[in-house]
Amino acid sequence: MPDVLDATPYDALLLLSFGGPEGPDDVVPFLENVTRGRGIPKERLKEVGQHYFLFGGVSPINGQNRALLDALRKDFAEHGLDLPVYWGNRNWAPYLTDTLREMVADGRRRILVLATSAYASYSGCRQYRENLADSLAALEAEGLEPPRIDKLRHYFNHPGFLQPMIDGVLASLADLPEDVRAGAHLAFTTHSIPTAAADTSGPVAVHGEGGAYVEQHLDVAQLIADAVRERTGVDHPWRLVYQSRSGAPQIPWLEPDICDHLEELHGSGVPAVVMAPIGFVSDHMEVRYDLDTEATAKAEELGLPVRRSATVGADPRFAAAVRDLIVERAAAERGQEIAPCALGALGASHDVCPAGCCPARAPRPAAAGADSPYA
């Protein structure tokens, strides 16, 4: 990175996330936002909401995003990057449209977006781009001039994202009883998605079995496993597995599920497991419930020692990675060449999502891509 950190032509960063309820009364309205258009009865949403009620009706994601905002602002100030940071959510306050309206009122015209999803997929990238297009259309309908928005590239293989996860796996291994530590397996987990969505994730050129979604996760898992071997001298067997499946049972989703995987490992005599949620940026509800509650209970039932490693969260190295990505993208926009920072076999991801990347079942406008109506 250059000595002088220049974000030109950008004048703001938008942290774009999923959102979550912040009290019991918020749970069902939040789930109505998440499932809008699917015709799911309120009684069913109350059943689904039990996961949140176990935690007082509060999702940890909003608090974690506040911590990340603080980390980003602290890092930018310490390194002389003059770029204000805003926060907007897809499904709960602060809502994306409200935040963009505030940014326009503040005079922001060129906005970079950091999504709290590191990988290519419809729900992790394209859907956020559709949300941006919807919000820009709403501002336009109000008579406001929409700002120009670009999205930071996928950061799954940036060292600042990988190193905290490597340290988390090492800490979890060290926390296992010594007599089972060397034989522990690593279960790298991510959100299951329909196989059809996985197969069409990423640019058209990589569509196929698993698409970019599976390919990127496998690359990250290999990088972490290799780093653990180098640090410990032990080659721990590993597998990419999935969690948090939802939707109709007749639709194929990525497998195996983490709980099924734990049963399989126990049946084959594996003495311990470290669950590493590499598909998630922070310890939000799907980590706290699906791994810390459900999968951990399954392991206890089996008598299988397990540990769950930490996600990246607001680690200062991740904040530094975001700064790195901003300066890299800004330089590219100014026509300057700068070597992108990425580890592993896949290299740096594309800056601009091409047409056909992570397509929706029903085509909708999406901002911040080659097919954006707001270029």
Side-chain angles (χ1 to χ4, degrees), residues 46-57 285 289-290 294:
K46 289 179 181 177
E47 293 175 19
V48 173
Q50 291 306 312
H51 295 182
Y52 291 94
F53 293 129
L54 287 173
F55 296 87
M285 186 58 70
Y289 181 81
D290 296 343
E294 194 171 54

Side-chain angles (χ1 to χ4, degrees), residues 68 114-119 153-168 189-190 216-217 220-221 223-224 277-282 310-322 324-325 341-343:
L68 179 55
L114 167 68
T116 53
S117 175
Y119 301 86
R153 66 175 171 88
H154 302 301
Y155 46 83
F156 62 92
N157 56 3
H158 193 287
F161 186 67
L162 286 164
Q163 290 299 330
M165 293 193 291
I166 292 167
D167 288 349
T189 77
T190 191
Q216 291 170 358
H217 281 87
V220 167
L223 284 163
I224 296 174
I278 62 172
F280 305 91
V281 171
S282 64
T311 53
V312 171
D315 190 289
R317 290 168 292 183
F318 181 45
V322 174
D324 188 32
L325 292 167
C341 193
L343 301 177

Side-chain angles (χ1 to χ4, degrees), residues 24-34 36 45 91-92 95:
D25 293 342
D26 296 344
V27 172
V28 171
F30 162 74
L31 292 173
E32 287 175 332
N33 287 343
V34 174
R36 182 163 286 117
L45 295 180
N91 296 302
W92 202 249
Y95 288 103

Side-chain angles (χ1 to χ4, degrees), residues 75-207:
D75 179 271
F76 293 1
E78 289 177 349
H79 292 86
L81 181 62
D82 184 16
L83 197 70
V85 187
Y86 296 75
W87 170 35
N89 288 325
R90 174 188 292 173
N91 296 302
W92 202 249
Y95 288 103
L96 173 59
T97 302
D98 294 336
T99 300
L100 284 176
R101 188 182 296 111
E102 176 189 357
M103 296 176 83
V104 170
D106 289 346
R108 311 304 177 192
R109 301 304 311 157
R110 288 293 304 272
I111 298 169
L112 264 176
V113 170
L114 167 68
T116 53
S117 175
Y119 301 86
S121 71
Y122 170 72
S123 58
C125 184
R126 173 85 190 190
Q127 191 172 10
Y128 281 117
R129 294 177 49 224
E130 291 175 353
N131 299 147
L132 286 165
D134 290 343
S135 293
L136 292 174
L139 297 185
E140 203 169 36
E142 296 171 10
L144 299 174
E145 182 182 353
R148 163 80 181 271
I149 292 181
D150 293 323
K151 180 177 174 292
L152 288 172
R153 66 175 171 88
H154 302 301
Y155 46 83
F156 62 92
N157 56 3
H158 193 287
F161 186 67
L162 286 164
Q163 290 299 330
M165 293 193 291
I166 292 167
D167 288 349
V169 172
L170 289 167
S172 293
L173 284 168
D175 192 48
L176 283 168
E178 189 173 358
D179 60 333
V180 299
R181 189 179 303 150
H185 281 225
L186 309 179
F188 295 107
T189 77
T190 191
H191 205 302
S192 184
I193 61 175
T195 56
D199 293 346
T200 56
S201 59
V204 173
V206 297
H207 287 183

Side-chain angles (χ1 to χ4, degrees), residues 5 87 148 239 260 301:
L5 300 186
W87 170 35
R148 163 80 181 271
R239 187 172 183 182
D260 294 338
E301 174 191 318

